[in-house]
Amino acid sequence: MLITGSILKLIEETKKALQKAFKMKDLGELKYFLGIEFTRSTEGILMHQRKYTLELIAEVGMSAAKPASTPMDANIKLTSKQYDEHVNKNQEESDDPLTDQSTYQRLIGKLLYLNMTRQDISFSTQTLSQFLNQPKKSHMDAALRIVRYLKRQPVHGILLSSHSNNQVSAYCDADWAAFPLTRKSVTGYMIKIGESLISWKAKKQSTVSRSSAESEYRSMASTVSELVWLLGLLKEVGAEVEMPVQVYSDSKAAI
């Protein structure tokens, strides 16, 4: 359990009250919690999953592999068995369905857990998580590329800056008609308080957009929805937020 707050006296009183009711041990300053490591410096607090990442690399046998420069090949076209049948495509022998699907499913589950501090693999993992039902060799190869990418910088994480301010800003984008079978788009956004990243997501949209402007607008709507919830949470914990909140998009048509 974590006990956190801005008033040290109140934290001490809370711990004493808990110790009277429960048998508990005070482990002191936060350093490691549920696979997440916390490193402090004058710049702020760095949240990372170095130990978890190195264990994952060793588990899949990639310790001696060459690191990848990007989490996913930009030109790769991943398809499902359903899509192959839909377009009457002859499946290559090298891209047969995996005999052991659980290996792929476990690996994607571990990569999804890494999303807590590795926003740079969010898009890749959400793409690959859509093939959990009938994964193929190409999907496994793409997942292992993410692991090789993690090997390049295992300590990469999120810096909660000590130079933060009360300005909330949001950035959103959309990948129009990204999926070949459904032609659904992908929403991507990130939200920061000052210099600190606090929320991000890459998710397939629930409906088909008939233009890039429409997909970008849906992306903005999802971002604002998340902002409304976050502003309510910040207000509840007594944090001051500078208004109005800036939302950035690269689509002039959507704006």
Side-chain angles (χ1 to χ4, degrees), residues 179-244:
F179 290 89
L181 181 60
T182 62
R183 288 301 173 191
K184 289 182 177 178
S185 308
V186 178
T187 288
Y189 67 73
M190 55 180 281
I191 300 171
K192 299 170 76 176
I193 296 182
E195 299 173 15
S196 304
L197 182 64
I198 59 165
S199 180
W200 62 92
K201 182 176 280 188
K203 186 178 181 180
K204 187 165 70 173
Q205 294 178 3
S206 57
T207 55
V208 178
S209 298
R210 290 182 289 179
S211 69
S212 59
E214 190 178 333
S215 67
E216 293 273 5
Y217 188 76
R218 291 184 190 279
S219 171
M220 292 172 93
S222 297
T223 308
V224 172
S225 178
E226 176 75 1
L227 272 171
V228 170
W229 181 83
L230 277 170
L231 291 173
L233 177 65
L234 291 168
K235 184 180 179 181
E236 192 174 317
V237 298
E240 292 182 6
V241 176
E242 191 177 320
M243 299 295 280

Side-chain angles (χ1 to χ4, degrees), residues 32 35-39 46-51 117 154-158:
Y32 190 84
I36 304 175
E37 297 172 67
F38 299 83
T39 307
L46 178 66
M47 292 174 57
H48 61 93
Q49 291 171 279
R50 180 180 177 274
K51 184 174 180 288
T117 58
V155 78
H156 183 70
I158 296 171

Side-chain angles (χ1 to χ4, degrees), residues 42-138:
T42 54
E43 294 298 312
I45 300 173
L46 178 66
M47 292 174 57
H48 61 93
Q49 291 171 279
R50 180 180 177 274
K51 184 174 180 288
Y52 183 89
T53 303
L54 293 175
E55 287 173 355
L56 173 59
I57 293 166
E59 187 180 319
V60 298
M62 287 282 181
S63 298
K66 184 180 178 182
S69 57
T70 57
M72 182 174 277
D73 185 354
N75 299 315
I76 194 169
K77 298 294 180 185
L78 298 171
T79 59
S80 63
K81 185 180 178 183
Q82 181 187 3
Y83 175 78
D84 295 337
E85 293 169 353
H86 180 74
V87 297
N88 297 319
K89 180 182 173 183
N90 292 323
Q91 200 170 282
E92 296 178 15
E93 287 183 10
S94 60
D95 199 19
D96 288 334
L98 295 175
T99 51
D100 183 12
Q101 296 181 0
S102 61
T103 304
Y104 177 81
Q105 291 163 351
R106 281 198 302 272
L107 177 56
I108 296 301
K110 289 176 182 292
L111 291 172
L112 286 170
Y113 191 69
L114 263 175
N115 272 242
M116 288 196 297
T117 58
R118 296 296 299 252
Q119 72 282 2
D120 50 338
I121 64 169
S122 291
F123 176 78
S124 307
T125 51
Q126 76 85 27
T127 301
L128 294 174
S129 66
Q130 295 176 68
F131 304 107
L132 292 174
N133 192 29
Q134 292 180 313
K136 300 187 295 183
K137 185 179 180 298
S138 58

Side-chain angles (χ1 to χ4, degrees), residues 140-198:
M140 190 65 180
D141 290 342
L144 291 174
R145 181 188 171 95
I146 298 176
V147 177
R148 289 196 294 113
Y149 170 75
L150 293 170
K151 190 173 184 290
R152 189 181 185 90
Q153 188 63 274
V155 78
H156 183 70
I158 296 171
L159 179 68
L160 303 176
S161 177
S162 58
H163 310 295
S164 187
N165 56 49
N166 297 331
Q167 178 65 57
V168 177
S169 54
Y171 303 81
C172 60
D173 201 359
D175 189 1
W176 181 46
F179 290 89
L181 181 60
T182 62
R183 288 301 173 191
K184 289 182 177 178
S185 308
V186 178
T187 288
Y189 67 73
M190 55 180 281
I191 300 171
K192 299 170 76 176
I193 296 182
E195 299 173 15
S196 304
L197 182 64
I198 59 165

